[in-house]
Amino acid sequence: MSKPQTLLALNWKMNKTPSQAVAWARELLPSLPASSAVLAIMAPAIDLQGLSQTLQGSAVTIGAQDVSAHESGAYTGEISAAMLLDVGAKYAVVGHSERREYHAESSQVVAGKARAAKQAGLIPIICVGEGLEVRERGEHVAYTLDMLRESLAGLTIASADQIVIAYEPVWAIGTGKTATAADAEELAAAIRSALSGLLGEVGAGVQVLYGGSVKGSNIAEICGQPNVNGALVGGAALEVRSVLEMVNALV
Ligand code: 13P
């Protein structure tokens, strides 16, 4: 199977006001080289409309960092997949470890969000990964695949491009500790083979990203692994300069 185009997904987390987001996109666009990678910005929901207008006509796409499991109705504070689509989002991150930890999101909740996103036509970027204790016990593969199975419950896909999986080992997020390219490949390969079991033949073609302290100096090696199809980047996604470093490393 040929490798899909590399996806460089930027997770801004809770950074950048709407006006900062627009200024950032205006700074990025003139310097963005033609690249083999697809760039997508996972922005705070309130930034999406302005970003969408600023990025119109460019190849840069946008997404949200979360989405409601519900379609519409009395869910105060929630944002539906239809609302995100309406402001131009293509993706929604679901099950990021920060939401699992600080908002007590179980894999059952994550699965509901993934289904709602996919149902509406957004591409859910479903995050899975183990903490340090699990890694030290050597149980990271089984743990992550269990989380994957639970987070995909009830989901079906007709083609491989309807979902994305991100493997993000929690101990590598924001810590400067990057998994080695071999660690990333080990899990990406395990996830890929589990996906075909869970989703049928199309599952094997799903894009699998790595996330955790990715930056310009390590992205090419990580994304060069046979089963790694891109990166989900936090800290290095905030400055235009470091995003350009990553894009250039992938050209
Ligand atoms: P860092 O790149 O800051 O480690 O964050 C990774 C992450 O959580 C992306 O979703």
Side-chain angles (χ1 to χ4, degrees), residues 7-13 39-44 48 51 61-65 90-93 125 232:
L7 176 62
L8 175 51
L10 310 177
N11 179 4
W12 280 353
K13 308 192 178 184
L39 196 59
I41 306 171
M42 304 302 128
L48 291 173
L51 272 179
T61 54
I62 56 174
Q65 298 170 8
K90 178 173 178 185
Y91 300 96
V93 174
I125 301 181
L232 183 55

Side-chain angles (χ1 to χ4, degrees), residues 83-98:
M83 292 168 186
L84 297 172
L85 277 167
D86 193 69
V87 291
K90 178 173 178 185
Y91 300 96
V93 174
V94 298
H96 191 280
S97 61
E98 287 149 18

Side-chain angles (χ1 to χ4, degrees), residues 5-8 32-40 59 219 246-247 250-251:
Q5 225 177 351
T6 301
L7 176 62
L8 175 51
L32 197 60
S35 166
S36 54
V38 175
L39 196 59
I219 194 166
M246 292 187 286
V247 171
L250 290 171
V251 165

Side-chain angles (χ1 to χ4, degrees), residues 150-219:
E150 288 168 13
S151 304
L152 290 176
L155 191 97
T156 53
I157 55 171
S159 62
D161 57 4
Q162 290 183 329
I163 64 166
V164 173
I165 305 297
Y167 168 59
E168 296 208 312
V170 180
W171 49 271
I173 294 178
T175 58
K177 275 189 204 163
T178 320
T180 62
D183 290 335
E185 172 61 14
E186 179 191 28
L187 259 294
I191 287 170
R192 187 172 307 289
S193 82
L195 285 172
S196 30
L198 293 165
L199 300 171
E201 236 172 77
V202 283
V206 166
Q207 282 191 303
V208 180
L209 314 182
Y210 166 79
S213 298
V214 173
K215 47 187 185 283
S217 57
N218 59 23
I219 194 166

